[in-house]
Amino acid sequence: MTKVLTIVLFTGLLINSCSSEDSSPTSGTPIGGGNTGTPTNNYTDAQLIEMVQKDALKYFWDYAESGSKLARERYHTDNPSQDANIVTTGGSGFGLMTILVGIKNGYISRGEAVSRLTTSLNFLQNANRFHGAWPHWINGTNGQVVPFSQKDNGGDLVETSFLAQGLICVREYFKNSSDASELAISQKADALWKGIEWNWYTQNPAAPNMLTWHWSPNYDWQMNMPLRGFDETLITYIMAAASPNYSIDKPVYQQGWARSGSIKNTGSQFGLPVVVNHNVANGTVGPMFWSHYSFLGLDPRGLSDEYVNYGDATTNHAKIMYQYCVANPKGWQGYNSKSWGLTASYSRNPSTGGDDYAAHQPNNDLGIISPTAALSSMPYTPTESMNMLRFLYNENYNKYVGVAGPYDAYSVHYNWVIPRYLAIDQGTIAPMVENYKSQFLWQLFMNAPDIKQGLIKLGFHSTQYGF
C-alpha cells in the first residue's frame, strides 16, 4: 500500500479546514486570464496542446506560494486562501520542470524565470531538512516543517526524490550557460541534490536493506513504510543510486523495489500484459500517477532492468486504464473513449456526496474522472489522450476548465465537478505533454552523467540512450 492510500482520511479532513491567510496571485507577469471559452470550441490539436501546457503552468506561476515561489499544496477557486502558505515538496519538483517547459516554449521570460528559480532554490537551501531530505510540507513563510500527520513530521524521501528529479533537470538546463545568474542556479541545484542522505533511509530496523519513506527526529522509523514496486517510488531508488555522496548499493534496489524479482507480473488485463505487480489487490493496475511521477525525467522508453521493461509497463498501464474506462464495468455515465482516466485526486464522498480525496483505480472506482490521468499519459496513449484533451477544451471548456487548466476531478454521472487544483496533479501535465512533443525533460534527465551512472549501477539498460 502506498502513502496516498493511507492518508485519504487525513487529507480529506484537511480539505475541509480553512485558513485566513491571503493567497492572491504572486507578483510577476501573469500567463493569461481565466476561462473565456464558449461551450463548443474548435481548437486544433496544436492549439490544444499549447493551451493545456500554458494553463498547467499558471498553477506554478500565477498561483505559486507567495514567499518561496514554490508550489502550494492546493489552490481552491472556491476558497483561495486555504493553505495559502503550505509548500509541497514533490509538487514543487514537478513545478520546477513545468517552469523549464515554460521557458523552452517561450510562455514565460527567461529572465523572470531565473529570478523565480533563484528565490525558490534559496528557500530550499534554508528550509528544514532531515538527513538531507525535505519534509512533505513546508511553511512557505519560514521554511519550517508542517507535519503531514503526527508522525510524518520529518524527512519524506519520496517527495524529496520528486524534487530531486526536478533539481537535476534545472541543473542540466543551465549548466553550460554563460550567464552568471543561470550558472548559479545550476550550481545551487547541484548542491541541493548532493546533500540528500539517501543511504540514511536504509536504516529502518523493520525493513533492512531497502529504502523507507519517512524518518522523524521525534518518531524515528515508526511510520515504517518501506518502498517496494510497483508504485510511484521507482524514482526514489534511481536518485538514491545516482547520488555521488550517499549512494545505495544494487541489493537495496533488488530487495526493496524489485522484491527479489517478484515485481514481475506475467498476467494480462484486456489482452495487454500487466508486466509489473502493482501494489493493489487482485492483480489489477493502480492509479495512473504511478506511471507519471517517476517518469517526468526518467524516460521509460526502452528502459529495462533484469526484471522489467518499463516502457511496456507504463504504456500498458495507460492502455489498460483506457480499456477499463471504455468497458466501464460499473456502468458509470460519462465513461467513454474521450472521457477516461483514474488516479489519485479530489473526489466525491460516496456516502455523503461531499468533497473527499481518493486514489481512484479499477478496484476503487467511484465514478470520478481525473483529467491529469489521461493528459499526463500522452507519451503512452497519444490518440486516447488527445481525445480527452478535445473533450475538455473543445466540448466542455466552461464546465471542466478553470483558471489553471482542467479542474482536478469531475463526474458526469453525478453532475459534479470540483473547482480545485492539486500541485501533484497539475504538475505532471506540462512535463509529460512536452515529453510527448519533444522528449525535452527526458533528454535533460537521462543525459545527466550521475543519473546514467546510477542506472547502470542498478543494472538498467536503455535502447534510447545507449547503455
Side-chain angles (χ1 to χ4, degrees), residues 150-223:
Q150 179 184 345
K151 295 180 181 179
D152 190 355
N153 69 339
D156 185 314
L157 197 67
V158 175
E159 292 283 314
T160 293
S161 68
F162 301 151
L163 177 56
Q165 188 176 204
L167 290 171
I168 291 291
C169 290
V170 168
R171 182 193 72 184
E172 293 297 298
Y173 187 73
F174 292 111
K175 71 178 183 180
N176 295 319
S177 176
S178 59
D179 179 270
S181 297
E182 294 183 2
L183 192 60
I185 288 174
S186 179
Q187 293 169 346
K188 180 66 65 68
D190 186 57
L192 290 170
W193 133 252
K194 286 179 176 175
I196 303 166
E197 298 177 27
W198 304 92
N199 55 4
W200 169 264
Y201 287 80
T202 64
Q203 298 186 41
N204 178 5
N209 210 34
M210 63 183 70
L211 291 174
T212 288
W213 201 308
H214 313 89
W215 178 81
S216 163
N218 307 106
Y219 302 98
D220 207 41
W221 305 102
Q222 290 185 36
M223 292 284 291

Side-chain angles (χ1 to χ4, degrees), residues 24-251:
S24 56
T26 57
S27 60
T29 305
I31 297 163
N35 187 334
T36 58
T38 56
T40 302
N41 299 313
N42 193 30
Y43 299 115
T44 66
D45 288 356
Q47 289 173 322
L48 291 169
I49 286 174
E50 180 172 306
M51 290 172 72
V52 77
Q53 285 190 297
K54 282 184 174 179
D55 282 350
L57 175 58
K58 291 174 190 173
Y59 185 92
F60 302 96
W61 193 260
D62 294 353
Y63 302 100
E65 195 278 322
S66 59
S68 66
K69 307 301 184 187
L70 290 167
R72 290 176 54 171
E73 166 69 12
R74 65 188 91 245
Y75 180 74
H76 293 179
T77 65
D78 56 340
N79 183 13
S81 65
Q82 180 165 340
D83 296 334
N85 295 109
I86 301 296
V87 168
T88 176
T89 295
S92 291
F94 302 163
L96 294 178
M97 290 183 271
T98 298
I99 287 173
L100 292 180
V101 171
I103 299 170
K104 173 187 177 292
N105 290 331
Y107 303 153
I108 50 180
S109 78
R110 191 177 182 99
E112 195 166 9
V114 167
S115 176
R116 285 277 189 112
L117 291 170
T118 300
T119 297
S120 294
L121 298 195
N122 286 340
F123 175 86
L124 289 170
Q125 182 182 38
N126 296 313
N128 282 173
R129 299 176 77 174
F130 302 86
H131 289 279
W134 288 273
H136 190 133
W137 284 344
I138 309 171
N139 186 323
T141 65
N142 58 23
Q144 300 296 304
V145 58
V146 176
F148 194 77
S149 64
Q150 179 184 345
K151 295 180 181 179
D152 190 355
N153 69 339
D156 185 314
L157 197 67
V158 175
E159 292 283 314
T160 293
S161 68
F162 301 151
L163 177 56
Q165 188 176 204
L167 290 171
I168 291 291
C169 290
V170 168
R171 182 193 72 184
E172 293 297 298
Y173 187 73
F174 292 111
K175 71 178 183 180
N176 295 319
S177 176
S178 59
D179 179 270
S181 297
E182 294 183 2
L183 192 60
I185 288 174
S186 179
Q187 293 169 346
K188 180 66 65 68
D190 186 57
L192 290 170
W193 133 252
K194 286 179 176 175
I196 303 166
E197 298 177 27
W198 304 92
N199 55 4
W200 169 264
Y201 287 80
T202 64
Q203 298 186 41
N204 178 5
N209 210 34
M210 63 183 70
L211 291 174
T212 288
W213 201 308
H214 313 89
W215 178 81
S216 163
N218 307 106
Y219 302 98
D220 207 41
W221 305 102
Q222 290 185 36
M223 292 284 291
N224 192 26
M225 295 178 66
L227 307 186
R228 302 183 177 99
F230 179 80
D231 55 21
E232 73 271 39
T233 65
L234 174 59
I235 192 65
T236 316
Y237 279 95
I238 302 302
M239 302 307 299
S243 171
N245 301 328
Y246 303 100
S247 185
I248 60 168
D249 295 323
K250 184 176 179 180

Side-chain angles (χ1 to χ4, degrees), residues 13 27 66 78 111 116 168 177 208 241 273 275-277 281 326 366 425 459:
L13 292 173
S27 60
S66 59
D78 56 340
R116 285 277 189 112
I168 291 291
S177 176
V275 183
V276 289
N277 277 315
V326 171
L366 305 175
D425 290 343

